[in-house]
Amino acid sequence: MKQDELNILIIGVGGQGTLLASRFLGDVALRLGRDVKVSEVHGMSQRGGSVETCVRIGENVASPIIDRGMADVVLSFESVEALRALEYLKPGGTVIMNTQEILPMPVISGAAVYPDNVPERLSGGNFRVIALDALSIAEKCGSAKCVNVVLLGILSAVIPGIAPDVWRQSLESVVPAKLLETNRRAFEEGIKAAE
Amino acid sequence: MKELLLGNEAVARGAWEAGVHVVSSYPGTPSTEITETLAKLSSVYCEWSPNEKVSAEVAIGAAIGGGRAMCCMKHVGLNVAADPLFTASYAGVNGGLVFAVADDPGLFSSQNDQDSRFYALSAHVPMLEPSDSAECHEFAKKAFELSEKYDTPVILRLTTRVSHSRSPVEVGERNVVPKKPYKKDIQKYVMMPGMAKKRQAIVKERDRVMTGEADAWVKLDNPGRKLGVITSGICYQYVREVFPDASVLKLGMIYPLPERSIKEFAASVEELIVVEELEPYIENYVRQLGIAYVEGKKYFTPLGELGTEKIRQSYYGTKTPVAELSEGSGLKPEDAPMRPPTMCPGCPHRGVFYTLSQLKLRVTGDIGCYTLGAAAPYKAMDACICMGASIGMSHGMEKAESVARAEAGAGDNDSDGIRGTVAVIGDSTFIHSGITGLVNIVYNKGASTVIILDNSITGMTGHQQNPTTGKTIRMEDTYPVDLTLLCKAVGVNRVRVEDPFDLKKFKAAVLEEIDANEPSVIIARRPCVLLKGVNYGKPVEIDGDKCRKCGACMRLGCPAILKTEDGRMKIDRSLCTGCEFCVQMCGFGAIGKKTEGGDNK
Ligand code: SF4
Ligand code: SF4
């Protein structure tokens, strides 16, 4: 990926904490003195629907939206959401995904099928896949809610050129103080898991 | 200092720095965060009002009184506030008056895709359109000055992608603006025909003068190229990416439109296109100026939102390559099952819609989280049009039916074989515009049954207080509207409060009320599961030995109940809220919370 431009598409299920992840990345970009745009989704789809947010970092970012084939990284909070987001990924891009499966209502009611072995089947395409059980890591750190920060830890280990201190400062500024300890652990465990 | 602000937060910040005194709004995605942000800032008075019409009237009053005032709403909210807007345009202002209106191209969270720019055109109210958060901040500030300078309300038009994107903003300090002195002026502020006719002429002249002002709001990129693009708002950002080498005329004021700038720009390029979302609003104007070679909707769809890819594909016919799966994977991106929004685990509305779907009633619905009752597995909604419409529609259906029956002579069920119609409406929506519908039913001797879903909050837009909750926007205690008393006061004798999670009782209540020969109201009361005070404790579990795989619990449509490979049910502990609603569904006592001894209770 180009050093001077970074498009990260975050995808997950409403309620999983994707908004915090995008704010975190926005804060990182500001600290680096880069231009940045973050697009969020509010309202209806937050109720358990599929939620996409975009983070674009560069010298002069125009559109806040990551459109078809524009993402350097897809950061997916759920297994099948990574598949859904593929149309946004550049050939040669990277998918970082939580292997957790959350069944959508049409699957629960039997109207649709949840495909098997999504992480395995994704690898082999013309892009890189980093698949980890971020939920288990988060639970080990003390809270299932930290899945987002575990994934950000993984991301920080994968994208080059950003000093670890910047990541840590941003973590402190976006996470509420009383949850900071757990989140710090989640972030470090994410980094470790990526190695 | 630079901050990364949502467009909505930047509007709030700009208005605050402009010294706004009074802000009155009704929540609506994608506009809600403007007012929420302002409520966290000092000195300004903020309120949630019952609907957009009231909020506009409060702002108009504050402005006539000499204060700077703002009201914020989503596009369909402007329909509700259109009545005061059109005449406030004649009366003009005293202190600056801004309507912040957010369109939702692509219907992320709306029931239609209307284009608010035509309101500016037909109400003769200047409209500004920012294209990122920095402009949201700047335009919001300037809107108040513009309003005072030209003695007119000003609309700040946003769209979802501007409202809900973050970009850096250089914020400043609050400018303390003294209230303007108020002078009684009947000719200006009392709009009766004689006065309004005179004001109408003043408005026409204002339009003419402001066409020149609009020229000051344009920005010209790359002058002198072959291809010229006229655009505004979020589309400007897309255009910068798709046509980096074109001449671009970016419009900041989109009503009135800058005639001189557009003519000069058109004359300076060989090919001229307009890139705008929704209707050909700018394009039509350019054609009216006699510039026949302009194109716009020939390329770019009027449906939904645009984006860099849509614009590129429509104009150049090229598709951006994307990552591809290997052939051997046997998987395509389309294999990802749809993930529509659903009612949350523990949602109190589930009890209502499960019951209505069981009874196969006809249901007129309304706007809120509970509109999801139209989705599988309940499919328990027959119509949903706009805020408050459920009550009027059920009355209309009932009256049509009674005429048909009288003329044809029908049996027990209605002519379509349905036992009855109920209107379903949320607490906030009922106060917004449902109460007038209920008055109508009583007055005109209807017999409808209205179910008010009272979850103690305005849920869908992210949990705002409303007149029934007993809290203001700043969480101060206030007098809560008593829904029971209110319904009784307008003449409904049959008003009852029921718990939607008590399925047996709730079902009996619904049956009783639809059979009653007079208007009735059931208040289905249970708080939204996402509220802070709601804590149901630990998740429930399903005892695998007791489960007979009957699937009864699955019919509730709670996302936390899953089928395992062997056909038994299990609870997803990470989703279950412990509300125990599903416990009553199981005839075999398989569902419950683990007690200390390790057994189900
Ligand atoms: S209702 Fe009870 S028996 Fe039937 S599937 Fe659910 S848990 Fe099993
Ligand atoms: S207790 Fe039952 S209905 Fe309530 S959230 Fe858990 S699984 Fe769903």
Side-chain angles (χ1 to χ4, degrees):
Chain A
M1 74 194 68
K2 260 200 299 178
Q3 285 282 339
D4 58 344
E5 195 193 302
L6 181 58
N7 295 330
I8 303 168
L9 185 108
I10 303 170
I11 190 164
V13 179
Q16 274 193 305
T18 50
L19 280 189
L20 182 119
S22 62
R23 273 171 214 172
F24 186 126
L25 292 171
D27 191 84
V28 168
L30 270 196
R31 277 172 209 279
L32 295 171
R34 315 293 301 280
D35 192 17
V36 59
K37 284 193 175 155
V38 177
S39 99
E40 303 182 350
V41 177
H42 299 240
M44 184 74 122
S45 45
Q46 279 183 301
R47 303 275 168 267
S50 173
V51 178
E52 292 161 15
T53 63
C54 311
V55 182
R56 301 194 62 201
I57 301 172
E59 276 328 301
N60 196 344
V61 180
S63 166
I65 311 301
I66 294 174
D67 218 319
R68 205 183 127 86
M70 275 171 69
D72 300 293
V73 177
V74 164
L75 189 67
S76 177
F77 283 47
E78 197 270 355
S79 196
V80 84
E81 295 304 320
L83 175 62
R84 193 189 315 282
L86 272 191
E87 63 164 324
Y88 297 110
L89 189 65
K90 282 179 186 165
T94 303
V95 173
I96 298 173
M97 65 187 289
N98 177 15
T99 54
Q100 182 187 356
E101 295 183 357
I102 301 175
L103 301 189
M105 194 40 81
V107 172
I108 294 177
S109 68
V113 188
Y114 195 104
D116 298 328
N117 306 325
V118 173
E120 294 76 20
R121 291 161 83 183
L122 283 180
S123 53
N126 63 354
F127 52 94
R128 182 174 165 210
V129 180
I130 300 167
L132 286 160
D133 182 355
L135 179 62
S136 297
I137 300 173
E139 278 169 345
K140 248 187 270 157
C141 298
S143 165
K145 293 225 160 75
C146 296
V147 164
N148 51 5
V149 175
V150 173
L151 287 167
L152 287 163
I154 301 171
L155 178 75
S156 78
V158 171
I159 56 178
I162 301 176
D165 265 0
V166 173
W167 290 101
R168 290 184 183 121
Q169 283 163 9
S170 290
L171 183 69
E172 279 169 34
S173 82
V174 296
V175 171
K178 62 173 189 212
L179 303 176
L180 194 56
E181 261 326 297
T182 319
N183 278 289
R184 270 203 191 114
R185 242 177 290 142
F187 191 77
E188 300 306 326
E189 286 305 314
I191 297 176
K192 261 192 235 156
E195 276 155 10
Chain B
M1 192 183 56
K2 275 208 169 160
E3 286 182 26
L4 199 56
L5 298 184
L6 281 181
N8 282 348
E9 293 169 348
V11 169
R13 187 74 202 193
W16 183 77
E17 288 172 23
V20 67
H21 302 108
V22 172
V23 178
S24 181
S25 308
Y26 185 80
T29 314
S31 70
T32 313
E33 298 81 8
I34 305 172
T35 311
E36 287 185 323
T37 304
L38 274 156
K40 290 187 197 118
L41 298 170
S42 61
S43 305
V44 53
Y45 170 79
C46 286
E47 65 177 27
W48 290 130
S49 52
N51 67 34
E52 295 86 352
K53 180 171 181 293
V54 175
S55 78
E57 290 153 354
V58 170
I60 290 166
I64 290 177
R68 287 192 163 183
M70 181 159 80
C71 53
C72 313
M73 61 202 71
K74 66 183 294 175
H75 59 343
V76 287
L78 187 55
N79 300 336
V80 181
D83 196 1
L85 173 72
F86 273 72
T87 308
S89 167
Y90 281 26
V93 300
N94 182 19
L97 172 61
V98 176
F99 281 61
V101 177
D103 283 3
D104 187 21
L107 300 104
F108 288 88
S109 213
S110 302
Q111 66 270 36
N112 77 27
D113 211 348
Q114 73 187 43
D115 188 332
S116 296
R117 295 178 297 175
F118 292 95
Y119 270 112
L121 178 73
S122 49
H124 300 278
V125 173
M127 182 179 257
L128 306 175
E129 186 176 35
S131 69
D132 61 14
S133 298
E135 280 188 354
C136 284
H137 178 253
E138 179 195 341
F139 287 16
K141 255 172 137 165
K142 288 187 177 163
F144 287 95
E145 289 160 27
L146 206 65
S147 167
E148 285 170 9
K149 182 170 172 196
Y150 293 97
D151 190 14
T152 174
V154 171
I155 304 177
L156 188 65
R157 188 228 189 191
L158 307 160
T159 54
T160 301
R161 297 304 196 172
V162 171
S163 285
H164 286 166
S165 294
R166 289 179 186 276
S167 52
V169 178
E170 194 76 53
V171 296
E173 289 309 312
R174 179 165 169 97
N175 182 13
V176 178
V177 180
K179 184 182 97 67
K180 287 199 169 178
Y182 168 72
K183 230 177 58 242
K184 185 162 178 165
D185 188 347
I186 291 177
Q187 292 300 319
K188 185 170 184 305
Y189 297 126
V190 181
M191 288 299 98
M192 295 196 295
M195 294 83 147
K197 268 184 209 156
K198 288 188 198 122
R199 295 297 306 176
Q200 194 181 16
I202 292 171
V203 169
K204 270 273 160 306
E205 174 59 13
R206 181 176 78 203
D207 266 355
R208 194 189 60 76
V209 175
M210 289 203 75
T211 308
E213 171 74 37
D215 287 313
W217 288 76
V218 305
K219 187 167 155 278
L220 181 60
D221 292 351
N222 309 326
R225 308 287 167 84
K226 272 191 184 158
L227 173 66
V229 185
I230 301 177
T231 188
S232 72
I234 191 66
C235 289
Y236 170 65
Q237 307 297 353
Y238 302 149
V239 164
R240 278 170 69 194
E241 294 205 13
V242 181
F243 306 107
D245 300 321
S247 292
V248 178
L249 184 71
K250 174 193 173 291
L251 314 179
M253 182 179 287
I254 52 173
Y255 185 82
L257 283 158
E259 182 178 338
R260 184 175 55 81
S261 303
I262 291 176
K263 280 183 171 160
E264 282 172 11
F265 183 73
S268 76
V269 296
E270 285 173 28
E271 184 190 348
L272 182 65
I273 58 174
V274 174
V275 179
E276 61 189 322
E277 286 174 332
L278 306 179
E279 306 297 328
Y281 167 84
I282 298 172
E283 184 186 345
N284 285 352
Y285 177 81
V286 176
R287 280 186 207 283
Q288 270 172 33
L289 294 178
I291 302 163
Y293 53 94
V294 66
E295 292 295 351
K297 291 298 151 184
K298 177 179 131 186
Y299 297 112
F300 312 114
T301 176
L303 307 183
E305 64 166 350
L306 296 176
T308 50
E309 184 68 12
K310 258 197 202 167
I311 295 170
R312 193 174 287 123
Q313 279 191 24
S314 312
Y315 186 80
Y316 291 114
T318 56
K319 250 183 158 178
T320 307
V322 301
E324 276 169 30
L325 289 146
S326 68
E327 301 234 340
S329 72
L331 204 58
K332 298 182 298 295
E334 306 84 84
D335 293 336
M338 295 283 284
R339 194 186 295 278
T342 50
M343 285 176 205
C344 306
C347 175
H349 302 330
R350 185 164 280 115
V352 174
F353 287 100
Y354 176 75
T355 303
L356 296 177
S357 69
Q358 291 292 300
L359 295 175
K360 299 198 167 50
L361 298 178
R362 195 187 284 131
V363 180
T364 55
D366 228 298
I367 311 279
C369 288
Y370 51 90
T371 316
L372 294 169
Y378 321 104
K379 300 189 180 167
M381 195 171 288
D382 293 80
C384 173
I385 301 290
C386 69
M387 293 286 287
S390 60
I391 301 183
M393 287 193 295
S394 76
H395 180 65
M397 281 185 176
E398 184 211 318
K399 290 297 178 190
E401 183 60 34
S402 68
V403 173
R405 268 190 200 212
E407 289 183 338
D412 265 357
N413 284 339
D414 70 15
S415 56
D416 300 303
I418 293 168
R419 180 154 176 192
T421 303
V422 295
V424 171
I425 186 166
D427 47 353
S428 183
T429 310
F430 180 71
I431 297 291
H432 178 282
S433 47
I435 178 66
T436 42
L438 191 62
V439 169
N440 183 54
I441 288 176
V442 174
Y443 170 52
N444 289 306
K445 303 179 170 195
S448 295
T449 299
V450 176
I451 302 179
I452 302 176
L453 302 170
D454 182 8
N455 62 348
S456 317
I457 204 76
T458 309
M460 177 60 87
T461 43
H463 298 99
Q464 288 73 32
Q465 302 300 324
N466 70 52
T468 69
T469 64
K471 296 269 182 214
T472 68
I473 189 169
R474 288 204 165 107
M475 295 305 282
E476 296 143 343
D477 290 330
T478 183
Y479 186 85
V481 171
D482 183 325
L483 288 172
T484 307
L485 283 182
L486 178 61
C487 296
K488 288 202 163 153
V490 304
V492 181
N493 293 316
R494 303 181 68 97
V495 182
R496 59 205 281 178
V497 178
E498 299 290 347
D499 178 0
F501 271 12
D502 187 341
L503 282 177
K504 253 199 200 128
K505 229 177 132 229
F506 192 77
K507 183 175 171 187
V510 172
L511 285 174
E512 231 174 276
E513 297 309 334
I514 56 170
D515 289 343
N517 228 346
E518 59 177 302
S520 56
V521 172
I522 302 172
I523 299 169
R525 182 167 289 156
R526 186 174 268 263
C528 171
V529 64
L530 301 182
L531 288 183
K532 276 210 179 84
V534 178
N535 186 359
Y536 290 123
K538 58 182 180 182
V540 298
E541 287 173 37
I542 291 182
D543 184 336
D545 295 336
K546 290 189 189 162
C547 175
R548 306 260 187 99
K549 311 181 186 177
C550 72
C553 54
M554 293 290 291
R555 289 204 290 273
L556 287 181
C558 174
I561 308 177
L562 310 171
K563 201 178 194 155
T564 60
E565 313 232 300
D566 72 353
R568 271 176 241 282
M569 308 303 147
K570 73 160 198 220
I571 304 289
D572 182 333
R573 292 182 53 86
S574 70
L575 292 177
C576 174
T577 62
C579 73
E580 296 185 88
F581 176 50
C582 53
V583 171
Q584 60 193 308
M585 292 300 289
C586 182
F588 309 99
I591 312 177
K593 290 193 184 178
K594 266 229 170 82
T595 51
E596 290 305 301
D599 213 10
N600 283 349
K601 80 170 180 197

